[in-house]
Amino acid sequence: MWLINSSIGRKVVMSVTGIALILFLTFHCCMNVVALFSGEAYNWICELLGANWYAVVATLGLAALAAIHIVYAFILTAQNRRARGTERYAVTVKPEKVEWASQNMLVLGIIILVGLLIHLYDFWFNMMFAELFPSIHYDAAPADGFGKIVATFGNPVKVVLYVIWIVAIWFHLSHGFWSAMHTLGVNGKIWFNRWRMIGWIYTTILMLGFLVVVLAFAFKCAPSLCCGA
C-alpha cells in the first residue's frame, strides 16, 4: 500500500494525523481556557468527558493518531538519514532559508513525547483512568479537574516543564502546519505563503492559550481562583 511503502505516502499520513492532532489541541485549549473563568464549568466539562463510552472511544482514537504520527516520524527520519548516507557527517554550511525547527524536528518530537507522558500522568491517569479503575490510589478525586490544574501548576518545577513543553510544541507546529499543507498539495507560491502565515498565526495563538492558563494558575491570576469557583 502506497501510504505505507512510499515516502510520499508516509508524508501524507504524517500530514493528516498532524492536522487531526492540531484540531484536538484546539478543542483542548478552549476547554482549558474555561478554567480561567469558572472551576465549576471546567469540572462539568471534565465530567462530560469522563469515563463515558464515547470519551473512551475518542481517547483510543486519539491515542492511535498520536502513535501513528510518532511512528511515522521516526520512520521518515531514519529514511532521510539512510538517504544521506555518510554525507550527514560532512561539515556543511546551514542553508539560509532552512528553519531551525525543520532541522530539529526529531529533537522537538522527543521533548514533546516526554512532556506528553508527564501530562498523561498528571491529568489523564488521575482522571479518566481513575474512573475506569477506581480501586487504584490516585492523587485526587477523578472529577476534580480544576483541583488538578491548581495543584499541578502550583508546583514551580511542573510549571517550568510545561512551559518548555509548550514552546517545543509551538516550534513543532509552526513548521509542521505549513509542511503538511505543502505535502497535501498547496504548492502555489501565493497560497503557500498565505497558508504558512495563517499556520504561524494560528499555532501561535493556540499555544499562547495553553501558556496563559499555565502562567495564570502558577501566579494565581485566574479569576476562578479569586472567586473560589
Side-chain angles (χ1 to χ4, degrees), residues 36 149 153 210-223 225:
L36 293 174
I149 289 181
F153 301 135
F210 284 106
L211 186 62
V212 166
V213 172
V214 173
L215 296 181
F217 281 90
F219 294 101
K220 297 179 174 57
C221 298
L225 285 175

Side-chain angles (χ1 to χ4, degrees), residues 7 75-88:
S7 176
I75 291 174
L76 284 171
T77 300
Q79 175 184 304
N80 291 336
R81 285 179 176 273
R82 285 197 302 270
R84 289 198 302 268
T86 57
E87 291 183 5
R88 69 179 183 268

Side-chain angles (χ1 to χ4, degrees), residues 125-169:
F125 176 76
N126 285 289
M127 293 175 68
M128 181 183 286
F129 192 85
E131 287 189 53
L132 292 172
F133 302 96
S135 60
I136 302 176
H137 175 72
Y138 303 95
D139 294 342
D144 188 17
F146 184 77
K148 284 297 301 175
I149 289 181
V150 173
T152 300
F153 301 135
N155 183 336
V157 175
K158 285 292 179 67
V159 170
V160 172
L161 291 176
Y162 272 86
V163 169
I164 293 173
W165 187 41
I166 290 170
V167 171
I169 295 175

